[in-house]
Amino acid sequence: MTGISRRRFLKGSGATAGALAIASIQPMPAFASEPKIGRTDGKILTAGRMGILLAEVKDGKLVKTTNALPQTVENHLQQTGPSQVHTRARIKYPMVRKGYLANPSNPQGVRGKDEYVRVSWEEAYKLVNEQHSRIRKTYGAEGIFAGSYGWHSSGALHDARTLLQRYMGLAGGYVGSLGDYSTGAAQVIMPYVVGSIEVYEQQTTYPVVMEHSDVVVLWGMNPINTLEIAWTAADGQGLEFFHQLKKSGKTVIAIDPIRSETIEFFGDNAQWIAPNPMTDVALAMGIAHTLVKNNKHDVKFIEKYTHGFNEFNAYLLGKTDGVVKDSAWAEKITGVPAKQIEVLADVFYKNRTMLMAGWGMQRQQFGEQRHWMIVTLAAMLGQIGLPGGGFGFSYHYSNGGNPARDAGILPSISSSINAGANAGGDTSSWLNTGEGVVNALPVARITEALENPGMQYQHNGHTLTYPDIKMVWWCGGGNFTHHQDTNRLARAWQKLELSVVSEIYWTAAAKHADIVLPINSSFERNDLTMVGDYSSQFLSPMKKAVESQYESKSDFDVFGDLSEHLFKGGRAVYTEGRDEMEWLNHFYQIAQKGGRNSRVAMPNFTHFWKENQYIEMKWNEKNAKFVRYAEFREDPTMNPLGTPSGKIEIYSKTLASYNLPDCPAHPTWLEPTEYTGSAKEGELQLMTAHSAYRLHSQFNYADVREKYAIAGKEPILIHKDDAAKRGIKTGDVVRVFNQRGQVLAGADVTDRIKQGSVCIHEGAWPDFDPEIGICRNGGPNVLTLDIPASRLSNGCAANSALVKVEKWVGDALETHAFEPPKGADA
Ligand SMILES: Nc1nc2c(c(=O)[nH]1)N[C@H]1C(S)=C(S)[C@@H](COP(=O)(O)OP(=O)(O)OC[C@H]3O[C@@H](n4cnc5c(=O)[nH]c(N)nc54)[C@H](O)[C@@H]3O)O[C@H]1N2
Ligand SMILES: Nc1nc2c(c(=O)[nH]1)N[C@H]1C(S)=C(S)[C@@H](COP(=O)(O)OP(=O)(O)OC[C@H]3O[C@@H](n4cnc5c(=O)[nH]c(N)nc54)[C@H](O)[C@@H]3O)O[C@H]1N2
Ligand SMILES: [Mo]
């Protein structure tokens, strides 16, 4: 899986769709292969991860962005356009850290504390090129990390990380990254269990669920928030589905320590069950035990379609460890009453039940066990492969239940340059074109890698070695916001000889970089995108609305220029001789050709671009009826799963052979290091769910922050009884701390969260006070634990931390997170 991107996962899976069953959901638009000529009233049609947008421009300023598609459920992110372009947080010019500029080959000063000096683009390019080449010559490609994980803007051409890697490949190779933060644990365990990654795949469709499911379980899943975006652009059908589900009268059960926006949205139409965080395996085992005890597990299904149930069952019944995992046992761990657990078993058994699960619960220590146990429970219910039954792990993400259309699909810029286009001019000794990835590390082990060059570690059954990284380039990610244990990361960062950041805004990552390159936002350049990761429902232009602000440029232009610095003629090699619009034309023509093969007519590019319209792809009745695992269920011999047994593996011999204590051979309740069950006096468990008002750290600076900030800080949800014990009221500034760090947050005292837990949403920008080092904005990763989920996946374990909370009695420390650093404030 080296270097495989989410996009490639999607491409490989989203397009394939089988068939069975019947149905159609109410507002699904009908056939349309012609461009939709809706009214744009002089507005500019563009798009972003949050959907197709209409942009309004006045006097060269972006003043408004709104959804271009009809919608019933509000998407808070669609209005952020003007803030994205016009904000004080923008990086205006190329900047270099003062202590770095003083002596680039032996940098002075402390990253994160230094001031910045403005330089010209030419000076910046020259400096980057000199130091990059020095480091490459000295340490080789193994010394240069360009894994650069992140949710940069979408678009077929302006794909930040890919453009960086394309440049690094041309320069002679780089260290890449494996997996992602999103589903680090689940995407690695699932192939052992069901033979595919599951988390980024077309689900049994929304229409089929609408027609056939009686009970829908939202297990640790908050789709009303998380469906606001998609990796390409959101098609909006998921929010519409949940809106329909609410009105459908079906039984909806939500299992979440937080009464999330989704649960509030369902109101009386859903039942909320609140386990302690990190205890879902125990909860599912309590249900599974109840099924076995009452002889309600589907023995026939288990026999025919699964492997290793007996080993698991012996463990469930306590035969292997003396602990019976019954509902009473589960109650003690989860805080969910045993009676309720038994009712769940009964309800699931009697009804066509779809177990939908989100991902927050696998972003935890031993995260692999959660989804494995849910698959096991679904197997015991025997409904996998039936319309509306079984499990689904992407209903809350990128509209995973929206049926795949017959479509012309856009390709995108590649990290490797076309064979034949490599004929460069002067290839100096360290240029080794197309070498690509020379090593790769699990994306969330970056700090560990910096701390331990040469260390061997286990990953997915292999022994790997950390490279000795001397230079890091981040392009399109917020690593100082997204990575766990920020203070530890900041310490490890000091060992680098060079850190470069290509960014639009003065993020914490930019404020820790030596060289900072100002990039334009997606509203300042032209691009194209598919809309709907699985559905390919639309193809939309992403039109430039305003000129590039200040001296910012696109990543494409920056790496084109830098390639010319690598060697004469480098730009032409990097760009393959195409400019922005020529690339878009090229991509479009490939989509058009693909469309023709699927009998989808698309206008020619010039016409399409001039029309200021999106194209809606053709509804496919067969795809609309797709039922996941239907073919396997129909004939498991002819359609086996990609596991060693060809069946669902409840016990895995392969995992047994790895002999990992943190990921045993069948789903297991493993007690976490930091969770409610291990909390000492006064400690609370920190959850870090995704926000309704941000895409991670993006838009934290935007106007919409006024809707949620409390006392000028990121809010912390705290249960009223926990707050009362500490004398905390809504609106108070509180100090949240543990041995790793401390942050100030604004108290939101509530009954919307399970007692014993608190939540600060991920993505709040770290903002360290220079005197006392406290984060003034409430960045939760200052507090989180930087350990691997297990040595199987090395996924991040962001939702596994204990903290203490107290009323802040110190000076009011204002947030400066969104201000440029010293030297860049002019
Ligand atoms: N505690 C905790 N931590 C978490 C999580 C959690 O649940 N809890 N979730 C994790 C998950 S699932 C994820 S995916 C990560 C997300 O982590 P990231 O993907 O790193 O987060 P973003 O804030 O989306 O960062 C994208 C950055 O790219 C910049 N950008 C946008 N467009 C462009 C462009 O065109 N060019 C360039 N050069 N830059 C651009 C934006 O300004 C922004 O700073 O966070 C992880 N971290
Ligand atoms: N608006 C918005 N949408 C987004 C994103 C965003 O930042 N903002 N990020 C996108 C990305 S990259 C990703 S990976 C996905 C993330 O999608 P998810 O990972 O599913 O999102 P989270 O908010 O982390 O978690 C979902 C729910 O799980 C609950 N939860 C947390 N821990 C536990 C637990 O131990 N047990 C149970 N039962 N529930 C638990 C949380 O309270 C939350 O309500 O969302 C995507 N969509
Ligand atoms: Mo993610």
Side-chain angles (χ1 to χ4, degrees):
M1 289 215 311
T2 304
I4 210 165
S5 72
R6 184 190 308 246
R7 188 159 202 145
R8 277 175 59 203
F9 277 145
L10 294 176
K11 270 208 194 136
S13 52
T16 50
L20 211 87
I22 30 165
S24 84
I25 193 172
Q26 290 84 326
M28 288 287 183
F31 310 66
S33 54
E34 291 299 306
K36 256 231 149 95
I37 313 294
R39 283 157 56 91
T40 48
D41 291 334
K43 294 168 197 158
I44 297 162
L45 194 75
T46 190
R49 302 223 191 266
M50 65 292 272
I52 308 181
L53 302 172
L54 287 170
E56 289 173 52
V57 176
K58 253 196 202 124
D59 304 326
K61 281 192 106 178
L62 183 59
V63 292
K64 197 171 179 187
T65 45
T66 46
N67 199 349
L69 301 169
Q71 86 189 139
T72 2
V73 183
E74 191 189 356
N75 183 334
H76 303 283
L77 306 183
Q78 291 172 339
Q79 346 150 358
T80 60
S83 293
Q84 288 186 51
V85 175
H86 312 289
T87 168
R88 187 165 151 64
R90 280 211 58 162
I91 302 166
K92 297 178 180 170
Y93 314 108
M95 303 294 286
V96 182
R97 190 170 66 76
K98 198 173 179 183
Y100 185 82
L101 197 58
N103 190 352
S105 300
N106 182 18
Q108 313 294 301
V110 179
R111 295 189 175 97
K113 297 205 164 149
D114 216 345
E115 51 187 277
Y116 284 82
V117 180
R118 178 177 170 182
V119 296
S120 69
W121 269 110
E122 254 336 282
E123 287 168 307
Y125 285 152
K126 202 164 158 271
L127 187 60
V128 167
N129 196 55
E130 274 169 15
Q131 291 304 317
H132 175 188
S133 86
R134 178 186 65 78
I135 291 169
R136 193 174 280 278
K137 265 187 201 143
T138 317
Y139 308 103
E142 282 259 339
I144 300 172
F145 181 77
S148 185
Y149 179 82
W151 272 75
H152 54 78
S153 314
S154 53
L157 175 63
H158 296 290
D159 181 337
R161 170 160 90 165
T162 306
L163 291 165
L164 164 68
Q165 296 182 343
R166 189 175 166 93
Y167 162 72
M168 284 295 182
L170 183 65
Y174 59 93
V175 175
S177 54
L178 300 168
D180 58 39
Y181 280 77
S182 313
T183 61
Q187 67 175 249
V188 173
I189 187 88
M190 278 300 120
Y192 294 90
V193 180
V194 287
S196 68
I197 60 164
E198 239 7 81
V199 286
Y200 305 133
E201 300 192 70
Q202 172 77 56
Q203 306 294 291
T204 295
T205 65
Y206 293 136
V208 171
V209 172
M210 251 351 234
E211 171 137 354
H212 295 277
S213 306
D214 303 313
V215 175
V216 174
V217 180
L218 312 179
W219 203 318
M221 151 167 165
N222 187 9
I224 295 299
N225 281 14
T226 55
L227 286 171
E228 289 182 332
I229 57 91
W231 181 246
T232 55
D235 59 42
Q237 295 304 311
L239 288 173
E240 189 54 40
F241 163 75
F242 284 100
H243 176 70
Q244 298 292 336
L245 181 64
K246 175 183 171 177
K247 296 193 298 188
S248 68
K250 294 182 193 295
T251 302
V252 176
I253 299 167
I255 303 174
D256 199 311
I258 299 176
R259 199 168 72 229
S260 67
E261 288 82 351
T262 300
I263 304 177
E264 301 255 288
F265 171 84
F266 273 93
D268 293 340
N269 297 310
Q271 196 192 343
W272 179 32
I273 293 176
N276 292 319
M278 299 189 78
T279 64
D280 299 273
V281 166
L283 180 62
M285 283 180 179
I287 300 170
H289 186 275
T290 308
L291 290 174
V292 172
K293 192 180 74 183
N294 299 325
N295 255 321
K296 286 178 172 169
H297 57 308
D298 191 330
V299 177
K300 276 198 190 128
F301 183 92
I302 291 169
E303 178 70 19
K304 190 166 176 192
Y305 300 103
T306 75
H307 169 83
F309 177 73
N310 289 344
E311 281 89 341
F312 170 74
N313 199 31
Y315 167 80
L316 190 68
L317 300 176
K319 291 183 183 156
T320 48
D321 63 355
V323 181
V324 182
K325 281 80 183 177
D326 59 11
S327 54
W329 168 84
E331 171 176 336
K332 277 197 211 104
I333 295 170
T334 61
V336 178
K339 266 268 147 321
Q340 203 167 29
I341 295 173
E342 286 160 24
V343 169
L344 287 177
D346 193 50
V347 170
F348 294 175
Y349 167 74
K350 286 189 177 139
N351 296 284
R352 182 62 59 86
T353 301
M354 178 56 85
L355 301 175
M356 299 182 175
W359 303 335
M361 65 175 142
Q362 55 84 60
R363 228 172 281 119
Q364 293 176 343
Q365 190 180 18
F366 316 130
E368 296 84 355
Q369 306 304 313
R370 314 295 184 277
H371 290 74
W372 196 0
M373 187 55 217
I374 292 175
V375 173
T376 301
L377 179 58
M380 292 170 72
L381 293 168
Q383 300 180 16
I384 295 170
L386 292 179
F391 64 91
F393 298 158
S394 197
Y395 282 108
H396 69 296
Y397 174 77
S398 288
N399 303 288
N402 191 11
R405 301 274 173 134
D406 287 337
I409 296 179
L410 288 167
S412 59
I413 191 82
S414 157
S415 59
S416 44
I417 290 160
N418 252 353
N422 286 339
D426 160 38
T427 36
S428 54
S429 60
W430 57 274
L431 271 172
N432 189 357
T433 310
E435 197 180 302
V437 183
V438 295
N439 191 345
L441 50 104
V443 72
R445 300 320 301 142
I446 179 76
T447 302
E448 186 178 76
L450 290 174
E451 291 169 343
N452 302 283
M455 184 181 112
Q456 292 199 326
Y457 63 100
Q458 289 301 305
H459 180 69
N460 206 4
H462 301 280
T463 304
L464 305 180
T465 306
Y466 287 129
D468 190 359
I469 297 167
K470 303 289 185 182
M471 169 180 172
V472 172
W473 195 316
W474 229 279
C475 179
N479 63 313
F480 268 76
T481 313
H482 75 221
H483 191 64
Q484 288 60 62
D485 198 345
T486 322
N487 286 312
R488 185 175 154 198
L489 173 70
R491 284 191 298 277
W493 217 243
Q494 305 301 332
K495 81 150 240 188
L496 295 172
E497 293 190 13
L498 172 58
S499 112
V500 188
V501 164
S502 303
E503 248 299 344
I504 310 170
Y505 312 102
W506 278 110
T507 61
K511 288 174 182 170
H512 283 80
D514 298 323
I515 303 176
V516 181
L517 304 177
I519 304 303
N520 58 14
S521 77
S522 65
F523 297 102
E524 297 153 49
R525 58 203 190 200
N526 292 306
D527 214 329
L528 292 170
T529 185
M530 295 308 295
V531 183
D533 295 6
Y534 306 94
S535 67
S536 302
Q537 187 171 344
F538 308 97
L539 187 158
S540 178
M542 293 176 69
K543 289 199 170 192
K544 172 169 150 176
V546 294
E547 292 306 317
S548 287
Q549 302 292 296
Y550 308 101
E551 286 187 7
S552 64
K553 299 183 188 211
S554 71
D555 297 298
F556 177 73
D557 283 340
V558 169
F559 291 119
D561 290 348
L562 279 165
S563 298
E564 191 65 30
H565 279 258
L566 284 180
F567 58 92
K568 198 165 175 315
R571 184 189 282 106
V573 176
Y574 183 83
T575 62
E576 293 177 38
R578 293 189 187 97
D579 67 12
E580 185 183 65
M581 288 311 289
E582 284 165 345
W583 270 107
L584 302 188
N585 191 347
H586 174 66
F587 293 149
Y588 185 89
Q589 283 188 31
I590 294 172
Q592 200 179 24
K593 206 164 152 201
R596 225 174 282 136
N597 296 338
S598 321
R599 308 177 75 84
V600 177
M602 288 163 62
N604 72 35
F605 180 70
T606 319
H607 180 68
F608 162 75
W609 193 258
K610 210 177 87 222
E611 282 300 320
N612 200 34
Q613 290 295 337
Y614 53 81
I615 295 172
E616 179 156 20
M617 300 298 170
K618 210 163 85 188
W619 180 260
N620 178 318
E621 201 55 38
K622 190 172 160 225
N623 289 353
K625 294 169 186 165
F626 175 68
V627 174
R628 208 162 167 72
Y629 295 114
E631 289 173 354
F632 168 63
R633 187 175 184 114
E634 211 172 82
D635 190 341
T637 318
M638 288 303 286
N639 308 308
L641 302 182
T643 55
S645 61
K647 298 181 177 186
I648 299 169
E649 302 224 335
I650 298 174
Y651 176 93
S652 161
K653 273 192 200 148
T654 319
L655 288 178
S657 74
Y658 297 166
N659 204 14
L660 296 167
D662 48 12
C663 192
H666 59 67
T668 304
W669 163 249
L670 299 166
E671 192 161 358
T673 320
E674 291 193 31
Y675 84 122
T676 41
S678 69
K680 290 187 220 65
E681 181 65 26
E683 286 180 334
L684 299 167
Q685 174 150 20
L686 175 67
M687 301 174 65
T688 58
H690 290 229
S691 166
Y693 298 101
R694 285 193 298 265
L695 172 53
H696 311 296
S697 77
Q698 296 186 65
F699 328 134
N700 195 192
Y701 54 79
D703 295 345
V704 67
R705 183 168 182 269
E706 284 159 27
K707 286 199 188 170
Y708 63 86
I710 293 181
K713 315 268 174 227
E714 186 65 21
I716 179 169
L717 264 66
I718 181 166
H719 189 270
K720 54 186 173 35
D721 297 346
D722 293 325
K725 267 188 231 157
R726 293 163 177 80
I728 292 167
K729 291 190 276 314
T730 292
D732 285 347
V733 173
V734 296
R735 185 172 83 103
V736 192
F737 60 102
N738 59 22
Q739 67 275 28
R740 293 177 288 274
Q742 48 176 342
V743 311
L744 295 180
D748 179 356
V749 176
T750 178
D751 63 358
R752 299 195 321 276
I753 189 163
K754 178 92 169 170
Q755 195 187 345
S757 304
V758 291
C759 175
I760 306 180
H761 287 98
E762 61 109 37
W765 289 20
D767 172 38
F768 296 106
D769 182 87
E771 308 293 308
I772 46 177
I774 197 168
C775 169
R776 298 170 295 205
N777 188 44
N781 274 326
V782 172
L783 305 161
T784 54
L785 193 56
D786 181 8
I787 53 164
S790 81
R791 285 300 178 185
L792 179 77
S793 71
N794 286 296
C796 85
N799 282 319
S800 323
L802 290 171
V803 295
K804 287 188 174 178
V805 182
E806 64 182 24
K807 199 170 157 159
W808 172 246
V809 289
D811 293 342
L813 296 175
E814 244 180 77
T815 293
H816 295 277
F818 316 113
E819 284 161 32
K822 213 166 157 213
D825 34 10

